[in-house]
Amino acid sequence: MREHNIRKFGFLQHVLHRLAKNRYFKVGWDEQADLQQAEQRFFPGVEANYERHVAPLAHDVADLNSPEGIALLNSFRPDVVVCSGGPIYRAPLIDAVELMLNFHTGISPLYNGASTIYWTFANRQPHLAGGTLMKMSAVVDGGDILAHYLPDVEADDTPASQFMKSLIGGTRLYCEFLDHLAAGKPFVGVRQGRPLFNYYGSDWSVAQNLTIARSIAKRICAGHVRPEIVRRYWGDQSRDGAAGAVRQTLMELIYHG
């Protein structure tokens, strides 16, 4: 992968990418410090809670897309599988279950790919941070859209705080949608168009770290303060109606109305 990226993007981009991700000294925004601070704020005691509630039930799988991973998933006979993060989910795994859902921490199809909430700050667009509930697709972050969640924006927000808020909102959407399914109600999804931005991990460089550090220092979020926005499309009576609602949401965000 490293050799492929050097051939594709050039050696200079590779050096700038490695400089941004190195563990020994930080240039610009410190992702790990930001994440630790946000985790303490929004998820205090998370490690103890994980050990108590999740660890006894967790299965450590080397490759979820392998035949062994698919067999393990099928052994639970799931009605629906929910995902957030993780590897690239391949078609055999997705097709092995009746319904697989994904919560992407990015507003699709405006921001797809890797580190999308971070990219909204790097692009000086923190009002476009948020997440998308969708059906899982073999096209990364390309599944049918079910809902959008945009967290509230506070003046001192950072990429990590917006990321944590988006995870909380995504969990709420999951709970609501699963209740919708449990009640036996139908749902609709909206097919995605071509993404406005689609980022790969190798696109990130020290330039983005420096831009984010400058944006935080200037309290860029102070100019974008808003309450949270939740748009649920799954309960619409028709796909056309849901598609119209998605277009309206995206246009409002683009025009920052």
Side-chain angles (χ1 to χ4, degrees), residues 73 78-83 97 99-102 174:
L73 187 61
D79 297 307
V80 58
V81 175
V82 299
C83 307
V97 297
L99 177 61
M100 184 176 288
L101 304 174
N102 178 40
Y174 264 142

Side-chain angles (χ1 to χ4, degrees), residues 38-76:
E39 185 178 281
Q40 292 172 1
R41 174 185 173 188
F42 293 100
F43 299 105
V46 63
E47 293 183 1
N49 286 331
Y50 180 89
E51 289 299 323
R52 178 182 178 186
H53 298 290
V54 180
L57 304 174
H59 293 259
D60 191 4
V61 180
D63 181 4
L64 189 59
N65 290 291
S66 68
E68 294 76 15
I70 295 174
L72 175 63
L73 187 61
N74 281 329
S75 70
F76 298 114

Side-chain angles (χ1 to χ4, degrees), residues 178-187:
L178 292 176
D179 286 343
H180 183 87
L181 292 181
K185 298 178 181 179
F187 69 92

Side-chain angles (χ1 to χ4, degrees), residues 43-222:
F43 299 105
V46 63
E47 293 183 1
N49 286 331
Y50 180 89
E51 289 299 323
R52 178 182 178 186
H53 298 290
V54 180
L57 304 174
H59 293 259
D60 191 4
V61 180
D63 181 4
L64 189 59
N65 290 291
S66 68
E68 294 76 15
I70 295 174
L72 175 63
L73 187 61
N74 281 329
S75 70
F76 298 114
R77 302 172 61 86
D79 297 307
V80 58
V81 175
V82 299
C83 307
S84 181
I88 294 177
Y89 298 83
R90 306 296 184 186
L93 176 70
I94 299 170
D95 296 339
V97 297
E98 183 175 350
L99 177 61
M100 184 176 288
L101 304 174
N102 178 40
F103 183 74
H104 163 58
T105 47
I107 299 300
S108 297
L110 300 182
Y111 274 88
N112 283 4
S115 305
T116 48
I117 288 180
Y118 296 173
W119 275 103
T120 65
F121 277 77
N123 293 338
R124 300 181 180 88
Q125 297 173 323
H127 63 290
L128 297 183
T132 307
L133 181 63
M134 63 180 72
K135 292 181 67 176
M136 182 63 79
S137 168
V139 177
V140 176
D141 302 328
D144 290 355
I145 296 173
L146 302 171
H148 280 129
Y149 176 80
L150 291 101
D152 68 295
V153 178
E154 300 171 282
D156 293 317
D157 266 332
T158 67
S161 67
Q162 282 287 292
F163 177 72
M164 299 296 180
K165 290 180 183 181
S166 296
L167 288 178
I168 293 171
T171 303
R172 281 170 40 203
L173 284 178
Y174 264 142
C175 292
E176 292 179 19
F177 186 71
L178 292 176
D179 286 343
H180 183 87
L181 292 181
K185 298 178 181 179
F187 69 92
V188 298
V190 177
R191 186 172 175 232
Q192 286 198 49
R194 184 177 299 174
L196 180 64
F197 296 110
N198 191 19
Y199 290 110
Y200 297 88
S202 54
D203 292 328
W204 194 270
S205 76
V206 70
Q208 282 71 48
N209 280 13
L210 292 169
T211 300
I212 289 177
R214 186 163 56 250
S215 296
I216 292 174
K218 292 185 176 181
R219 302 179 77 234
I220 188 174
C221 287

